[in-house]
Amino acid sequence: IKDPSVEGDGIAVSKWFDGLTLINKDYFYTEWTDTSDAIYSQMLYDHVFDSGEQNNISSNESELVNKLSKLLREERGLCFQSL
């Protein structure tokens, strides 16, 4: 943000209570974790075809969910890990 000539990786991570969301150009993936960092719920929305987030596709896209979950955990940083 300080240097507009530097390109980012196209990924943003946000946190709301127990939910942590990874956002990229195509998907919003959210997982909720307990205090031991175990996932207790997940949501995945395809913003190319469902920008209004009407259809949670996480149960139909397990390979993509696993990939995005791994990426989220790599990108979240120390400040977003469970306390």
Side-chain angles (χ1 to χ4, degrees):
I1 294 176
K2 293 181 180 179
D3 184 352
S5 67
V6 176
E7 289 191 31
D9 60 6
I11 295 171
V13 176
S14 67
K15 183 171 178 69
W16 179 255
F17 294 98
D18 292 342
L20 197 58
T21 301
L22 180 130
I23 304 161
N24 67 21
K25 66 183 181 79
D26 297 326
Y27 299 102
F28 275 44
Y29 168 71
T30 303
E31 59 186 35
W32 285 268
T33 57
D34 62 19
T35 56
S36 67
D37 209 29
I39 299 168
Y40 65 83
S41 189
Q42 298 168 306
M43 290 190 321
L44 174 63
Y45 294 100
D46 182 335
H47 271 230
V48 173
F49 298 104
D50 182 23
S51 62
E53 296 184 355
Q54 300 297 310
N55 192 20
N56 178 4
I57 60 172
S58 63
S59 62
N60 302 330
E61 298 287 343
S62 60
E63 188 174 321
L64 179 57
V65 165
N66 290 337
K67 177 183 170 186
L68 293 174
S69 180
K70 182 177 186 271
L71 184 59
L72 174 61
R73 288 164 179 272
E74 291 169 357
E75 296 287 333
R76 69 184 176 181
L78 294 175
C79 60
F80 286 147
Q81 291 181 5
S82 295
L83 302 174

